[in-house]
């Protein structure tokens, strides 16, 4: 099995996408998952963040809160004209929404934060999420830099990917 895993390309890892035999079309969720991993390929991430709502939020309302959180965090870290900064100098995230067993939406985000902003990002991110979603929680941990970190983390984030959802994934660049 170990040898088989070494020969398996990153986008067809059995924990991420189903085994596909030649000629078998990918299911829509598998296509989204593969595209999400492709978008993240080659990027370096520094933080793994979970933002929860713990309240009767719809996915649309939770996404509005995420968009507000993004703007408030970016303004506090980068200043009022954060959108003028080159992309490689600005915080970036990609991830997926998920409905927990309670039915409350939350987000799993793979984030890249410039080195000089690491400590402030955690403080500001937590403060702003609690201000925007008082019932919510901000949890972060180091992303990890192993060869499978992106595949493992985003594979977990996309485990319940709903392709017919209005919001199958989130990307901080989309809100510009």
């Amino acid at each position: 099995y170990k040898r088989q895993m070494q020969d398996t390309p990153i986008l067809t890892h059995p924990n991420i996408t189903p085994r596909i035999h030649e000629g078998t079309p990918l299911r829509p969720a598998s296509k989204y998952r593969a595209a999400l991993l492709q978008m993240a390929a080659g990027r370096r991430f520094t933080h793994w963040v979970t933002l929860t709502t713990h309240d009767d939020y719809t996915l649309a309302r939770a996404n509005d809160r995420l968009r507000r959180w993004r703007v408030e965090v970016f303004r506090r870290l980068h200043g009022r004209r954060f959108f003028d900064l080159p992309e490689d100098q600005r915080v970036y995230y990609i991830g997926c929404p998920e409905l927990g067993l309670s039915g409350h939406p939350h987000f799993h985000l793979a984030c890249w934060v410039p080195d000089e902003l690491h400590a402030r990002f955690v403080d500001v991110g937590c403060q702003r999420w609690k201000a925007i979603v008082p019932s919510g929680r901000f949890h972060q941990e180091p992303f990890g830099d192993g060869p499978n970190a992106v595949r493992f983390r985003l594979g977990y984030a996309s485990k319940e990917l709903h392709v017919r959802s209005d919001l199958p994934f989130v990307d901080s660049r989309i809100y510009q």
Side-chain angles (χ1 to χ4, degrees):
Y1 181 74
K2 223 179 207 182
R3 175 130 173 80
Q4 179 186 11
M5 292 302 297
Q6 290 170 345
D7 296 336
T8 304
I10 189 167
L11 294 179
T12 59
H13 188 282
N15 293 335
I16 303 300
T17 58
R19 290 254 179 218
I20 303 299
H21 300 287
E22 214 171 297
T24 304
L26 283 172
R27 295 177 311 159
S30 298
K31 288 179 185 178
Y32 264 104
R33 194 175 240 188
L36 182 69
L37 288 171
Q38 191 65 40
M39 285 173 37
R43 287 199 169 264
R44 194 174 60 95
F45 296 101
T46 56
H47 295 75
W48 177 246
V49 173
T50 302
L51 302 172
T52 63
T53 57
H54 296 300
D55 206 347
D56 292 330
Y57 279 71
T58 63
L59 188 54
R61 185 175 173 209
N63 186 48
D64 287 343
R65 299 306 187 271
L66 176 65
R67 291 174 73 164
R68 182 172 162 200
W69 177 81
R70 174 192 170 271
V71 169
E72 290 191 21
V73 168
F74 283 26
R75 278 187 183 155
R76 282 168 175 74
L77 294 178
H78 301 300
R80 290 177 56 197
R81 307 233 1 124
F82 67 86
F83 47 85
D84 287 337
L85 286 174
E87 190 178 305
D88 63 343
Q89 295 176 19
R90 199 174 32 202
V91 172
Y92 165 76
Y93 64 78
I94 188 170
C96 293
E98 181 182 348
L99 291 176
L101 294 175
S102 64
H104 305 302
H106 61 275
F107 297 95
H108 296 290
L109 306 174
C111 302
W112 176 81
V113 179
D115 292 338
E116 65 275 8
L117 299 175
H118 281 207
R120 285 192 57 219
F121 171 75
V122 174
D123 290 340
V124 169
C126 183
Q127 290 169 1
R128 297 319 314 145
W129 189 251
K130 290 300 283 179
I132 295 166
V133 183
S135 65
R137 196 172 69 99
F138 173 95
H139 175 77
Q140 77 80 36
E141 57 189 59
F143 191 81
D145 56 1
N148 296 321
V150 171
R151 181 174 48 183
F152 172 77
R153 297 284 190 169
L154 288 176
Y156 175 79
S158 64
K159 67 187 176 289
E160 292 188 24
L161 195 64
H162 300 285
V163 296
R164 287 184 176 74
S165 169
D166 292 338
L167 188 67
F169 70 93
V170 293
D171 185 327
S172 61
R173 299 171 299 174
I174 292 174
Y175 301 130
Q176 297 182 28

